[in-house]
Amino acid sequence: MKVTTTSILTLPAKLVLGLFISFTIASSCSDPSTIGLELDPNNNQIGVSFVEIPLSASVVLQDSLLTTNPNRFVFGVDESDFFGVTTGTSYTRLFFNRDVPRPSSTAVLDSVKFNFNIRSVSAEDLTSEKTIRVHLLEEQIRDINYYNFNYLDYNPEPFLEAKLNLSARQDTIITVSAESDFTKKVFEDLKSGTSFQDIFSFREYLPGIVFTGIEGDNSSFSLQPGNNTGLVFFYRNDEDTVSRAYPIATGVNNNVARHFNQVERNPSGTPTEGLNEPWIAYDLGNKVGGMNNTGILVKIDTSPLQEFLDTLQSVTFNQVTLEIGPLIGNVDSKRPPQFLEMAYTNEFNRLVYSDNGLLLSVQPDNGIQFDPNTGNPFANASQQPALLTYFSDEKNYRQTLTTHVAAIKRGSLQRQDLLLWSSYRTVVQGNVAINDEHRRNLQSFIFNSNDVKLRIYYSTTRVF
């Protein structure tokens, strides 16, 4: 393990007094090398030392990923020199609203629209139009768990192909014309009402729809299911002077239709081509990376930290920062995940969960790191874990881990390797909401495998 260490020694009292005046003036933009520098000559610390510890990174393929009801439709075709061609396909049921009156038998169809509630678009280039295709599902979605390898039969010919200009904004609702022989037939059947008596007859009549992208676009989409994603029929009954609306959408009010995402990957000719066996840490050469919805995670080997801590006695940690990057190949229109959770992993390279099902991960600085009763890593749904945050200017991830490293040094917390997982938790009005970003898009990140560093500032304490 190659580390670089520097030390700041205690200064004579007169010089310290002069430095104290200068330090006070400059404290608003303090140099990290002065963090924890005590200027009282009678204190118990003899100075501040700095060490930079390189950590190694590898890639682990998790097994099948549950993609049932992630509250996002994830689809499109992403092309990468590192991951290969990744294709997402979204399958969803539809709802009709029995509280909305159906058209009369003599109603006239004015138009049919399709709304897309777009949450994000990831593409190398957004100056050209991007295509979304909507197909008819040919078999029903059952009340079972679906994973990223599951699929259902659907009509390969879309009933709607929308070309969208997303250069100005990506998180918006876009409405397109959806008139076709299929939608005209649905309107006629809607008037008769035979297939709209209950949800079961409706599903027999219309099992659902499927969202796909096209090859060559090199773009992936994330749509939010609900009232604002689906068909709207505008019509007039005999007595109407203005159009009425009847929605058949992917949600009604607060009820979201059952859905799942399929993700296929063709890594031929890329560094990840040999990434086949789950739970194995692969050394892919000089690059590593992770990709949402594929189960491809980056593993950080933290054993060099333990080797360094074993050399220390009687120290106080002033600041410890984990820094990863700079990332490779990211552009504004194809951003990496904003946050990465540093999840603990065991000797089998699997994610580790608490007894109540919470993902175990590094806790925030100055937060509780371990359960004092059991000695296990702390897990509480009301406390958001520490998150590696992406800084676009530097194109890297950073987070402070001072309390975490101090707990390991004291022996209160066992050091463990980490898996970078773009999942994080937030608390809203006292109720815990789980926001699992790993299942809600096809974002990815790549960096050089040697660009992982722990930067540690610490003070040695006098022993009397």
Side-chain angles (χ1 to χ4, degrees):
M1 177 185 68
K2 182 181 179 181
V3 297
T4 304
T5 306
T6 59
S7 179
I8 306 172
L9 300 178
T10 303
L11 303 173
K14 290 184 179 180
L15 182 56
V16 165
L17 180 59
L19 279 176
F20 179 77
I21 297 172
S22 301
F23 180 76
T24 303
I25 295 172
S27 62
S28 61
C29 53
S30 58
D31 187 327
S33 64
T34 65
I35 293 172
L37 178 60
E38 295 286 350
L39 299 175
D40 179 0
N42 296 316
N43 67 47
N44 290 331
Q45 295 177 345
I46 64 172
V48 175
S49 297
F50 166 76
V51 61
E52 183 178 277
I53 303 176
L55 305 179
S56 61
S58 55
V59 176
V60 174
L61 176 65
Q62 298 290 289
D63 204 355
S64 53
L65 187 71
L66 182 70
T67 61
T68 306
N69 293 340
N71 204 27
R72 290 290 187 272
F73 302 132
V74 179
F75 60 96
V77 182
D78 182 275
E79 300 174 23
S80 164
D81 292 339
F82 186 79
F83 297 104
V85 179
T86 304
T87 304
T89 306
S90 293
Y91 304 79
T92 180
R93 290 172 175 169
L94 292 171
F95 279 156
F96 71 98
N97 193 338
R98 281 182 280 187
D99 296 331
V100 176
R102 289 186 293 104
S104 68
S105 60
T106 58
V108 176
L109 180 65
D110 284 342
S111 63
V112 186
K113 303 295 182 183
F114 200 104
N115 295 328
F116 299 96
N117 188 354
I118 299 175
R119 296 296 85 204
S120 66
V121 180
S122 180
E124 289 287 349
D125 176 25
L126 288 173
T127 59
S128 60
E129 291 182 325
K130 303 303 176 185
T131 301
I132 295 178
R133 289 176 170 172
V134 188
H135 309 253
L136 287 177
L137 194 54
E138 295 182 339
E139 57 179 307
Q140 290 196 35
I141 296 176
R142 296 185 291 161
D143 293 326
I144 61 174
N145 283 333
Y146 289 92
Y147 294 81
N148 57 349
F149 59 82
N150 288 127
Y151 64 92
L152 297 173
D153 290 335
Y154 64 91
N155 191 329
E157 289 298 320
F159 71 86
L160 173 63
E161 183 173 295
K163 295 186 178 298
L164 308 179
N165 183 345
L166 299 163
S167 58
R169 184 174 177 179
Q170 291 80 53
D171 56 338
T172 185
I173 297 175
I174 293 181
T175 301
V176 301
S177 176
E179 294 183 38
S180 66
D181 291 340
F182 161 71
T183 55
K184 290 176 183 178
K185 180 181 183 305
V186 171
F187 181 72
E188 292 302 316
D189 295 337
L190 182 59
K191 290 194 295 183
S192 70
T194 304
S195 299
F196 292 81
Q197 299 301 314
D198 55 65
I199 192 64
F200 302 105
S201 58
F202 174 72
R203 288 178 188 165
E204 287 289 340
Y205 167 70
L206 188 57
I209 57 176
V210 177
F211 296 99
T212 66
I214 63 171
E215 292 186 17
D217 264 9
N218 193 9
S219 57
S220 61
F221 303 85
S222 175
L223 306 184
Q224 184 169 333
N227 297 322
N228 294 320
T229 297
L231 289 160
V232 183
F233 295 84
F234 293 93
Y235 67 95
R236 283 175 292 122
N237 291 328
D238 291 339
E239 69 279 7
D240 293 334
T241 57
V242 295
S243 292
R244 300 172 184 244
Y246 193 94
I248 298 179
T250 56
V252 173
N253 300 325
N254 294 322
N255 295 320
V256 174
R258 190 171 187 82
H259 57 280
F260 74 94
N261 298 314
Q262 174 196 11
V263 179
E264 302 173 279
R265 195 171 60 89
N266 180 4
S268 299
T270 71
T272 58
E273 184 173 12
L275 193 65
N276 299 315
E277 294 294 326
W279 324 123
I280 295 175
Y282 284 88
D283 181 355
L284 302 181
N286 61 346
K287 292 181 182 179
V288 293
M291 188 173 194
N292 289 353
N293 262 299
T294 64
I296 299 177
L297 306 179
V298 171
K299 177 183 177 180
I300 304 297
D301 180 1
T302 63
S303 56
L305 168 64
Q306 188 66 62
E307 295 171 12
F308 170 70
L309 294 180
D310 290 342
T311 67
L312 299 179
Q313 292 183 350
S314 303
V315 298
T316 298
F317 293 100
N318 308 113
Q319 186 181 80
V320 180
T321 303
L322 176 61
E323 182 174 308
I324 295 175
L327 301 191
I328 300 171
N330 287 100
V331 295
D332 289 342
S333 58
K334 195 172 185 179
R335 288 177 173 269
Q338 181 62 47
F339 302 105
L340 294 175
E341 190 169 346
M342 294 167 281
Y344 294 127
T345 183
N346 55 24
E347 65 272 23
F348 304 108
N349 296 312
R350 302 186 184 218
L351 294 166
V352 182
Y353 294 87
S354 66
D355 292 338
N356 58 352
L358 291 176
L359 183 65
L360 294 180
S361 58
V362 177
Q363 297 301 300
D365 223 27
N366 299 315
I368 301 173
Q369 302 293 316
F370 63 94
D371 186 334
N373 297 319
T374 64
N376 295 328
F378 181 74
N380 190 312
S382 64
Q383 177 170 299
Q384 181 170 283
L387 300 174
L388 282 166
T389 303
Y390 178 67
F391 293 87
S392 57
D393 291 343
E394 295 86 1
K395 294 189 175 183
N396 62 19
Y397 286 101
R398 293 198 306 274
Q399 184 53 267
T400 305
L401 305 180
T402 311
T403 310
H404 173 73
V405 171
I408 295 175
K409 174 57 183 172
R410 290 194 303 268
S412 304
L413 183 69
Q414 182 180 354
R415 178 205 62 82
Q416 297 185 58
D417 294 335
L418 306 174
L419 288 173
L420 304 187
W421 172 266
S422 56
S423 168
Y424 56 94
R425 288 154 278 186
T426 57
V427 180
V428 181
Q429 296 178 349
N431 296 319
V432 177
I434 304 299
N435 293 321
D436 191 346
E437 291 298 316
H438 191 83
R439 294 177 173 89
R440 297 173 75 169
N441 53 56
L442 288 177
Q443 288 182 320
S444 62
F445 61 97
I446 307 166
F447 59 91
N448 289 323
S449 55
N450 59 353
D451 282 339
V452 184
K453 296 178 177 62
L454 270 174
R455 304 180 189 277
I456 302 177
Y457 294 88
Y458 66 98
S459 299
T460 304
T461 305
R462 287 193 180 100
V463 179
F464 295 97

